[in-house]
Amino acid sequence: MANGAIKDHCRNRNNGCKQDREGDGYQHMAESRYFQKALSDFTYEAASGGAIRHLADSGYTVRQIADHLDYPTPYERIQKTVWEQLLAREIILKERPGSGGPTLKTTYIKEYDQYGKSSFRRVVEREEKAAVTNWTEQFVDRGQNAETLLNLLREKRDINGMNYAYASFEFGLWARRDPIEYEAMLSVLDAHQRDYVAGLPWDECRVYHKLDSRAMEILVQLYREGRYQGECCFLKTGELLKIK
């Protein structure tokens, strides 16, 4: 083999070895990042995840949860965990309730080991829900008294039950499209209501919140100030209350 050919052969071989080493390095880095993320998720779950979900289920806002945690946890991660918990428990739905089909209901059970250390066990249950095919629509205009609306919502919720009554909100849309209007909406709420709304990472679309006492009070307060438009769904009676 000529000297030039030998040099080219060695150069190509060295380049191939270099590329192999670089490929191995990239793979090692990717595996390392995956391991670090898995370790971080495990540490977070063990230290904060279960506690955050428990506090969210107890009605704490994101800010209140952040103040109660002993383990330092980024605020954004608390927001994400709370939002996922609200979705898992169907406190918040991403589409109008009554679409039917199977849903997965997730709950977390607090347990203790033989040494008294607590942990949370995730339980997923499949639930079939009947679809509402024909809604009976009712309309509420801005001229109606806020207390009259409040009493109407309470009456319909009591008839249907808490788990079958939802109200729509579009906080994520307003925050993105019109931040000034979004801040104006927050300004008419009391401190606790504002803390709840501002702490959640709302999707940039209409979502539906279970019509619990807090959601009902937020809706009525916004309506009182002329800053609510949306709808309330009552699944058992098939009623759709549209508020303009």
Side-chain angles (χ1 to χ4, degrees), residues 35-83:
F35 174 77
Q36 290 298 329
K37 183 180 184 304
L39 180 60
S40 174
D41 290 344
F42 175 80
T43 303
Y44 165 74
E45 181 63 27
S48 302
I52 291 172
R53 287 188 290 270
H54 174 70
L55 291 172
D57 289 345
S58 301
Y60 284 68
T61 67
V62 172
R63 175 55 59 191
Q64 288 174 320
I65 293 173
D67 292 340
H68 277 75
L69 291 179
D70 296 326
Y71 185 82
T73 307
Y75 188 78
E76 292 77 13
R77 195 154 196 180
I78 300 173
Q79 287 181 301
K80 181 175 183 292
T81 302
V82 171
W83 183 255

Side-chain angles (χ1 to χ4, degrees), residues 8-161:
D8 290 341
H9 174 73
C10 293
R11 186 181 301 111
N12 292 334
R13 184 177 179 181
N14 289 337
N15 289 338
C17 292
K18 180 180 180 182
Q19 290 173 357
D20 290 342
R21 288 195 299 271
E22 289 177 348
D24 291 342
Y26 291 142
Q27 182 178 357
H28 177 73
M29 289 173 61
E31 292 175 351
S32 178
R33 285 194 296 268
Y34 176 82
F35 174 77
Q36 290 298 329
K37 183 180 184 304
L39 180 60
S40 174
D41 290 344
F42 175 80
T43 303
Y44 165 74
E45 181 63 27
S48 302
I52 291 172
R53 287 188 290 270
H54 174 70
L55 291 172
D57 289 345
S58 301
Y60 284 68
T61 67
V62 172
R63 175 55 59 191
Q64 288 174 320
I65 293 173
D67 292 340
H68 277 75
L69 291 179
D70 296 326
Y71 185 82
T73 307
Y75 188 78
E76 292 77 13
R77 195 154 196 180
I78 300 173
Q79 287 181 301
K80 181 175 183 292
T81 302
V82 171
W83 183 255
E84 290 175 347
Q85 178 69 352
L86 294 176
L87 290 173
R89 296 194 60 221
E90 297 188 343
I91 304 298
I92 289 179
L93 302 177
K94 291 189 174 185
E95 60 182 20
R96 178 188 284 177
S99 59
T103 59
L104 297 178
K105 182 179 180 181
T106 304
T107 57
Y108 291 85
I109 301 175
K110 191 173 186 179
E111 298 178 329
Y112 296 88
D113 63 18
Q114 58 181 330
Y115 302 105
K117 184 178 180 180
S118 63
S119 62
F120 292 86
R121 179 166 59 88
R122 184 170 180 261
V123 178
V124 179
E125 299 176 348
R126 181 184 175 92
E127 182 179 1
E128 296 286 342
K129 290 192 174 181
V132 179
T133 55
N134 294 306
W135 292 97
T136 300
E137 294 187 355
Q138 301 179 43
F139 296 88
V140 176
D141 59 36
R142 291 179 181 269
Q144 183 165 295
N145 181 272
E147 296 306 315
T148 302
L149 174 61
L150 177 61
N151 292 332
L152 177 64
L153 294 177
R154 283 175 175 166
E155 178 185 351
K156 292 185 178 298
R157 186 192 63 184
D158 291 345
I159 292 173
N160 286 265

Side-chain angles (χ1 to χ4, degrees), residues 221-235:
Q221 180 59 22
L222 290 172
Y223 174 82
R224 181 180 288 114
E225 299 295 331
R227 298 191 180 278
Y228 180 83
Q229 290 187 12
E231 59 187 28
C232 297
C233 308
F234 302 96
L235 302 180

Side-chain angles (χ1 to χ4, degrees), residues 229-244:
Q229 290 187 12
E231 59 187 28
C232 297
C233 308
F234 302 96
L235 302 180
K236 284 190 175 181
T237 56
E239 295 173 287
L240 186 64
L241 188 66
K242 294 193 173 183
I243 304 172
K244 298 184 177 181

